[in-house]
Amino acid sequence: MAIRSGLFRTKSVEQSIRDTDDPDSKLRKDLTAKDLTVFGVAVVIGAGIFTLTARTAGTVAGPSVSLAFVFAAVACGLTALCYAEFASTVPVAGSAYTFAYATFGEIIAWIIGWDLILEFALAVSVVAKGWSQYLGEVLGSHAPIITLGSIHFDWGAVLIIAVVGILLATGTKLSSRVSAIAVAIKLAVVALVLVVGATYFKASNLTPYIPPSQPSAKAEGLRQSLFAYLTGSGGTSFGWYGLLAAASLVFFAFIGFDVVATTAEETRDPQRSVPRGIFASLAIVTVLYVAVSLILTGMVPYTALADGNATLATAFALNGATWVKNIISIGALAGLSTVVMVMFLGQTRVLFAMARDGLLPRSLARTGPHGTPVRLTVIVGIVCALLAGFVDFGTLEEMVNIGTLVAFALVSIGVPILRRTRPDLPRGFRVPWVPLVPILAALSCLWLMVNLSIETWLRFVLWMALGMVVYFAYGRGHSALRQQQPPVADHAVAPVP
C-alpha cells in the first residue's frame, strides 16, 4: 500500500496555482484569446496541408482523404472540449501533464509528461526537416544538406530551430507577433490554392470516392496497422481499411491545438481565453483542411499522387500551373516555421512544469529576465537541432501521433474524475453531457491508435519503459510533492483536498 500511495499521490489544483507565483519560476502573463487562436492556427496549418494531404491521398485513401480529415477532426473536437474544461479549471503550464497530476496522480502524470516529451521533440525535428526541404525549393536547389562521408547534416533544419529558439527565449509575446505575420502569409497562400485550384477542379476525379482496396507491400508485417493485424485483413491500401488508416495518419495535421492549453499560465484571462483559443483555432483549420483536400483530389486523379514525395504543388504542376509552386513553397516556409515555433514552445512548457514539480532537475524551471525558461529553451533547441540535423526519421512520424493520442485519451477520462473528486472548483468552461462526451473522446482516440502500425506501438512501449526507468531512478525520489508530505502519507492514500 505504501507504494500505491506514493505513486498515485495527487497534486491539488490550489497547489499547482500557488506554484505559479514562485518568483524564480514565474511566467509572464502576456497572451490573449486572439494570441491563443493565432498560436493554434500557427501550429496546425502546416505539414497537413502542404505535404501530408497529397501523400495520404495518393498512397492510402484516395479522394476519401477529405473524409479522413473529418474523422480526425471529430476526435479532436471531442477532446478539445475536455482540454477546454481542464485549462479553464487548472490554468497552469504543462497541459495534459498538469491535468493528470491533479486527477490520476504522480505516476500517471509522469507517463503523460514523458509521452509529451516524445511528441513535441519529434514533431519539432520532423517539421524542421520539412521546412528545410521547402527552403531548398525556394533557393532553387536540393535540400540544404551537407554530406561528409556517410554523415548527412541538414543545416536548414538546424537554422529554423535556432531562429525559433532565440525568439522563444526573448519572450512569448514576441513569438506570438511573429506567428501572426507568418499565419497571415500562409492563410493567403491557402486562399490562393483554393481559388486557383477550383479552376482545375473536375468532379470525375473524385470517383471512386473510396477506391477499392489493394495489397500494399509498404503495409505488411510490422508496418501494417494493429487493427489490420487483429482483424486479419493484412497489409492493404485504399478501401475502408485505407480510410481508417488515413484518419490516423492525417491526425498528425491536427496536432498542436492542445499546445494552446500549455500556455494557460501565460494568459491574462485563462478561464475565458483558453477555451476560445482552442475552439476557434480547431474550427478554422478543420474547414481549411477539408476544403483543400477536396480541391486537391478534384484537380488530378489520386493515382497521379502515388509518388510518396507528392505535395500540394504536385497537383498544380500536373495542370501546368507551375507558377503556383513557388508561391506554395513560400507559404510552406511560413507555415512550417510557425509549427516548429509552437511545438518548441509546448516542449519547453511541459518540461518546465515537470522540473518545477521536481520530477526533473528543479534548476531547469528558473525563468530569465524575459519571464521565459531560457535554460530549458537552450537545451530543447540543442537536442532538437541534433535530431533534425543528423537523423532520418522515416516512419518515426507516427510516433508523434500515438504519443498525442495517449495524452488526449487520458485528459478525456480525467474530466469526469475531477468532476467527481473536486466539484467545488470554479470552471470557466464545462464539457456538456458528462460522462458521455469524455468517453466518446477517449474511445475515438483509442480507435485512431489501433489504426497505427505495429512497429509504432512497439517503439512507443520501449519509450515508455525507458521513462519508467528515469522516473524510479530520479523523479520519484526528487518529487517536490513527496518531500512536502510527512512520512505517514506513505502508508495511506493521500486524501483529496
Side-chain angles (χ1 to χ4, degrees), residues 175-186:
S175 304
S176 175
R177 291 170 179 165
V178 173
S179 291
I181 296 173
V183 166
I185 294 173
K186 65 180 173 182

Side-chain angles (χ1 to χ4, degrees), residues 30-69:
D30 283 334
L31 304 179
T32 64
K34 180 180 177 181
D35 293 322
L36 298 185
T37 302
V38 168
F39 269 140
V41 176
V43 70
V44 180
I45 295 293
I49 279 185
F50 296 109
T51 59
L52 192 60
T53 304
R55 191 169 67 213
T56 305
T59 61
V60 182
S64 66
V65 66
S66 56
L67 184 56
F69 273 112

Side-chain angles (χ1 to χ4, degrees), residues 270-286:
Q271 282 75 19
R272 297 180 60 188
S273 298
V274 174
R276 290 179 180 179
I278 290 175
F279 295 135
S281 58
L282 188 58
I284 292 170
V285 300
T286 298

